[in-house]
Each structure stands twice: as C-alpha cells, then as structure tokens.
Amino acid sequence: MEPLRESDLYGPVRDYLENLGYQVKGEVKDCDIAALRDGELIVVELKRGFTLELIYQALDRQRVADGVYVAVPLPRRGYMAPHIRDMERLCRRLELGLIFVGFTSKGLPQVDVAVHPGKAAPLRRDSRRRQAVIREHQGRTGSANTGGVTRRKILTAYKEQSLRAADILRQRGPLRAGEVRELGGGEGIAGILGRNVLGWFGREPDPGGRKYLYHVTEKGLAALEEYRELL
C-alpha cells in the first residue's frame, strides 16, 4: 500500500468532525482544516508523518483556535509502533490533540483520537488572525477545497463572491455595482468590481449617470467555465 498523503487524511477527519456537528472547510487561511460549531473554532493540521514542522504549525494555530489537533497516518504496526507513547506525551505537554487515521483491509477509513487538546495554557491570542479565519470560513458557501493539498488553486471567499458576480453579469449583461449586489453579488461587491484584482471585469461609463456599467471579461468567462461545478 502506498504511503498516505495529507489529502488522503482530509476526508476521514472531515467526516469525523461533521458527525460531531462542526461545519468543516479545508484550506482556510493556511489552516488545513477549520471547523466551527457554536462559535468554537477547531483547527486540524495534516501531515504524512509526525514531524517537527507539524508541531511548529500546530503551535502557531493555537494563537487563533480554541483547540488544535495534528492528524497523521496510523503507523503500520499500529499502537505497537515505536514512539507512539512519546508522540502522545508530547501532544499532552503542548496541549495539542493527536489524531491517527488508518484504513482497514477493505479500504474503510478509521479515525482514532488518541489525545484531545488539553486546557489551553496562558497564551496571547491573535484576535485579528482568528477573526480572519472565521470570516473566511463563514464567507464560503461550501467546502470546495481539500485540506492538505499543495500546488493547487484555493477557492477563497473573495474568489467565490467574484464568481457569483461574474455569473450575474454573464446572464444579465452590463450592470451597475449596486444592481449586481441586489441580484446576489453580496456586500462589498462594488470594491471587488472596481479594483478588479482578478481581471474578470471590465467597465464603461454609464450613459445615465456618473457611475460605471460592469461586464464580465474573457478571463472571467474562462473562470466561470473552470468552476462550473461549483456554480
């Protein structure tokens, strides 16, 4: 059996958290998994092995989350594998949770929470980063990203709102920013259209006033095709 990748761990951990009532989304502001339930923010970092880099990442996430887990594949020898107890002791000392993910001979996933995060030690929380994670999580309508992937495009809340605006303009033709907002573009869409960071929108003077009429560009149409399944 080939070694598990970080993205192989995402589905089982996501399902485990969703069964506990969390809303789970992948790749949120550098967090492999962000889960929200009644204002509680849980972050899970995924790695193919229990490494020092993983611990560094998890300690950093403690500044934004109410609880942080690290998730790694269960060693082939299971709980008889060397250093299992050392990993558990280290996570308890650092007040991190530890999740092992394995698969049965039939390919069924198994999630084993070996350690839950302990009571958080006095730590100066980064409230700005925490709110950025929560806003990004709540700004997405679904979970199109798989946590733990690398070298792949991430669908952010900003890009998702831009896609909605591009779809509206494709269907309705040139519109004012306020009209796009009223048709489902959402708050803040005027800034997205005006700055046009993604290059998806063009504008022309509005014959009826001092504002602009916006339309979707060829680049925007290509993006709509790329994300057709999401729309």
Side-chain angles (χ1 to χ4, degrees), residues 161-162 164-165 168 177-193:
Q161 187 175 7
S162 299
R164 289 200 300 269
I168 291 169
E179 294 171 326
V180 176
R181 182 185 66 250
E182 293 172 1
L183 289 170
E187 294 299 322
I189 193 60
I192 292 177
L193 294 171

Side-chain angles (χ1 to χ4, degrees), residues 125-224:
R125 289 280 171 83
D126 191 330
S127 59
R128 181 178 298 179
R129 285 179 56 201
R130 174 184 171 87
Q131 288 303 315
V133 173
I134 292 176
R135 282 197 304 270
E136 179 68 21
H137 186 287
Q138 295 177 335
R140 300 184 189 178
T141 59
S143 184
N145 303 314
T146 297
V149 297
T150 57
R151 300 184 181 89
R152 289 183 58 182
K153 295 180 179 179
I154 300 299
L155 184 61
T156 63
Y158 181 93
K159 185 177 288 185
E160 190 174 315
Q161 187 175 7
S162 299
L163 285 169
R164 289 200 300 269
D167 192 39
I168 291 169
L169 292 171
R170 177 179 61 177
Q171 295 184 48
R172 304 295 291 268
L175 295 170
R176 300 183 184 91
E179 294 171 326
V180 176
R181 182 185 66 250
E182 293 172 1
L183 289 170
E187 294 299 322
I189 193 60
I192 292 177
L193 294 171
R195 288 189 292 271
N196 193 27
V197 174
L198 300 173
W200 292 358
F201 308 106
R203 69 181 187 181
E204 56 198 61
D206 181 1
R210 293 179 295 176
K211 298 183 179 181
Y212 292 98
L213 293 176
Y214 292 91
H215 62 269
V216 60
T217 63
E218 291 296 326
K219 189 174 182 180
L221 292 173
L224 288 172

Side-chain angles (χ1 to χ4, degrees), residues 35-165:
L36 275 177
R37 183 183 68 183
D38 299 329
E40 178 191 19
L41 174 62
I42 296 296
V43 166
V44 185
E45 290 298 319
L46 312 172
K47 277 289 182 293
R48 289 182 291 179
F50 193 86
T51 65
L52 192 56
E53 179 186 2
L54 174 62
I55 296 301
Y56 288 158
Q57 290 178 342
L59 293 177
D60 177 69
R61 305 304 184 255
Q62 284 181 327
R63 299 189 64 191
V64 302
D66 298 300
V68 179
Y69 290 84
V70 296
V72 297
L74 181 68
R76 291 189 177 184
R77 292 180 58 188
Y79 281 93
M80 297 300 292
H83 305 304
I84 285 285
R85 300 308 173 200
D86 294 331
M87 294 160 61
E88 293 177 348
R89 280 194 291 269
L90 178 60
C91 286
R92 288 193 181 96
R93 178 65 65 87
L94 298 175
E95 287 148 353
L96 297 171
L98 175 61
I99 298 175
F100 291 115
V101 179
F103 289 86
T104 67
S105 58
K106 295 182 180 180
L108 299 176
Q110 291 183 324
V111 173
D112 184 9
V113 181
V115 178
H116 286 285
K119 183 179 180 181
L123 181 69
R124 184 177 179 181
R125 289 280 171 83
D126 191 330
S127 59
R128 181 178 298 179
R129 285 179 56 201
R130 174 184 171 87
Q131 288 303 315
V133 173
I134 292 176
R135 282 197 304 270
E136 179 68 21
H137 186 287
Q138 295 177 335
R140 300 184 189 178
T141 59
S143 184
N145 303 314
T146 297
V149 297
T150 57
R151 300 184 181 89
R152 289 183 58 182
K153 295 180 179 179
I154 300 299
L155 184 61
T156 63
Y158 181 93
K159 185 177 288 185
E160 190 174 315
Q161 187 175 7
S162 299
L163 285 169
R164 289 200 300 269

